[in-house]
Amino acid sequence: MNILLTGGAGYIATHTCLELLKAGHRAVIVDNYVNSQPEAVSRLEELAGQPVPHYVADVADREAMDRIFSENAFDAVIHFAGLKAVGESVHQPLRYYRNNLDTTLTLCETMQAHGVRRLVFSSSATVYGVPDEVPLREDMFCKGCTNPYGWTKYMIEKILGGVCDADPEWSVVLLRYFNPIGAHESGRIGEDPQGIPNNLMPFITQVAAGRLDHLSVFGNDYDTPDGTGVRDYIHVVDLARGHVAACDYAAGHAGCEIINLGTGVGYSVLDIVNAFERVNGVKIPYVIGPRRPGDVDACYADPAKARALLHWEAEKTLDDMCRDAWRWQSANPRGYRG
Ligand code: UFG
């Protein structure tokens, strides 16, 4: 298939692009580099051993999107583009709603106009809100999100569901990601957050590198075995393979399907710190701090539906995730900037 990746220079997208190419697909990238670097695409091309066509454009720019669709015959789109910082979304709700909804609406209108009706969307486990029970299943009722970023994912799921209801020729897979970490084993592509990282693993790797002093563990009084928050960490290469499987699935089915991409195993913050120290032989100084508003005790997937429909499951271990995250960070102390 010939597949368009919106936000294609980002962390999950570059890993996905590589897996798509390995599986024999063709891929085209559109990105405005608002939260990514052109260098990521150069590295991707180096790993793929082939050029990857890429456009610098905003997905909300209808004229630019029309041109891209006119110049390429796409079979499917994977929609990664979007703002994704939870805390920032609380302070800039309008920017988040405008950007994430506008890009999706423009993309779908452009797809419709050009007869492309296969879409894989980057949703998030955040749409489950504060869960009553774990593991989380796709058919569970979502009681509401805790921040505007999460609501944009929730709303986009509803929009895409409506598009499929209205036109039975559409095929949409809504992938609810759990916590992607790690990097490609080459150490050439990985996560490159701007400023101080919000998420646990990039924070840990920067502490390990000496760029940050210590980790604050956000609370140790949760209802979990060691009191720290439990999440379903998934290696980004496993996640990327899940997208390849979702594209294949979308090619053979119509309608809208929600699918979790997680391992089904929960690890606590201290599990991650301990595994990272053991695997990489580095110390992660930490202090126990207050809870972070909006955080839940435990969040992990029931991965059964992904196994049944996509014939996919995560293969890499927590040790792989820790090793690959540190390889990327130590080889690229300032990310793609050197
Ligand atoms: N944590 C710390 N210290 C830190 C950062 C995180 O203790 O400096 C803890 C958090 O409290 C949480 C765990 O580490 O228990 C994971 O936190 P992350 O910020 O890495 O990830 P979240 O689970 O909060 O959020 C992630 C993505 C969201 C997505 C959500 C889906 O960042 O985009 O998973 O559940 F919506």
Side-chain angles (χ1 to χ4, degrees):
M1 281 186 268
N2 191 19
I3 301 171
L4 175 67
L5 282 69
T6 73
Y11 169 49
I12 299 169
T14 44
H15 290 81
T16 300
C17 189
L18 198 54
E19 295 303 313
L20 286 169
L21 296 171
K22 264 171 58 183
H25 296 294
R26 281 181 295 151
V28 174
I29 285 172
V30 56
D31 203 302
N32 62 0
Y33 299 127
V34 74
N35 192 26
S36 59
Q37 307 290 326
E39 174 66 13
V41 179
S42 308
R43 302 261 187 110
L44 167 63
E45 291 178 318
E46 158 205 312
L47 290 173
Q50 58 179 281
V52 179
H54 49 280
Y55 293 88
V56 184
D58 188 328
V59 179
D61 179 344
R62 179 62 197 265
E63 252 175 61
M65 292 301 283
D66 267 327
R67 187 166 57 81
I68 294 168
F69 275 75
S70 300
E71 290 176 7
N72 299 272
F74 294 123
D75 301 295
V77 178
I78 311 181
H79 182 32
F80 293 102
L83 299 173
K84 59 168 190 179
V86 172
E88 188 180 65
S89 79
V90 175
H91 299 291
Q92 302 176 13
L94 294 176
R95 182 169 163 242
Y96 270 67
Y97 287 117
R98 168 66 72 192
N99 181 80
N100 290 2
L101 297 179
D102 250 6
T103 47
T104 305
L105 294 170
T106 304
L107 172 66
C108 290
E109 286 167 355
T110 314
M111 288 175 67
Q112 187 115 277
H114 293 262
V116 183
R117 294 192 182 82
R118 239 175 252 156
L119 180 66
V120 174
F121 174 61
S122 297
S123 190
S124 166
T126 196
V127 301
Y128 288 111
V130 181
D132 286 330
E133 51 171 324
V134 279
L136 291 155
R137 277 193 332 272
E138 294 84 347
D139 60 0
M140 282 176 170
F141 180 65
C142 297
K143 285 189 303 181
C145 302
T146 55
N147 56 76
Y149 156 76
W151 280 117
T152 67
K153 295 292 181 191
Y154 182 93
M155 289 175 189
I156 293 168
E157 286 198 358
K158 297 291 170 210
I159 291 168
L160 297 175
V163 168
C164 289
D165 289 344
D167 182 348
E169 284 192 27
W170 273 79
S171 175
V172 173
V173 181
L174 307 172
L175 294 178
R176 289 184 180 163
Y177 306 156
F178 282 73
N179 290 58
I181 59 172
H184 189 260
E185 63 179 13
S186 64
R188 296 294 289 159
I189 55 173
E191 187 170 13
D192 184 21
Q194 292 175 5
I196 296 181
N198 300 306
N199 296 117
L200 180 64
M201 185 53 92
F203 204 102
I204 287 178
T205 59
Q206 292 202 12
V207 171
R211 280 179 69 181
L212 296 167
D213 211 44
H214 66 272
L215 169 72
S216 283
V217 175
F218 296 150
N220 67 347
D221 56 352
Y222 284 104
D223 184 15
T224 61
D226 67 17
T228 66
V230 164
R231 296 291 182 275
D232 186 337
Y233 296 93
I234 175 168
H235 195 294
V236 66
V237 172
D238 277 335
L239 192 78
R241 287 177 34 252
H243 289 74
V244 179
C247 287
D248 290 341
Y249 178 84
H253 297 80
C256 186
E257 211 58 74
I258 300 173
I259 302 180
N260 286 338
L261 289 186
T263 64
V265 179
Y267 288 109
S268 74
V269 176
L270 295 182
D271 288 335
I272 303 294
V273 170
N274 293 335
F276 192 92
E277 289 186 333
R278 176 176 49 75
V279 168
N280 297 314
V282 287
K283 248 0 240 167
I284 306 297
Y286 68 85
V287 297
I288 304 292
R291 289 183 176 202
R292 183 172 62 179
D295 277 356
V296 299
D297 302 59
C299 171
Y300 52 93
D302 181 335
K305 191 171 176 187
R307 238 184 345 249
L309 264 50
L310 304 184
H311 312 294
W312 166 92
E313 62 187 333
E315 287 168 4
K316 292 185 181 273
T317 64
L318 180 58
D319 285 11
D320 296 329
M321 302 182 216
C322 291
R323 190 179 306 111
D324 292 341
W326 180 229
R327 187 185 295 112
W328 155 252
Q329 172 71 51
S330 34
N332 306 272
R334 289 170 18 88
Y336 290 114
R337 285 153 288 229

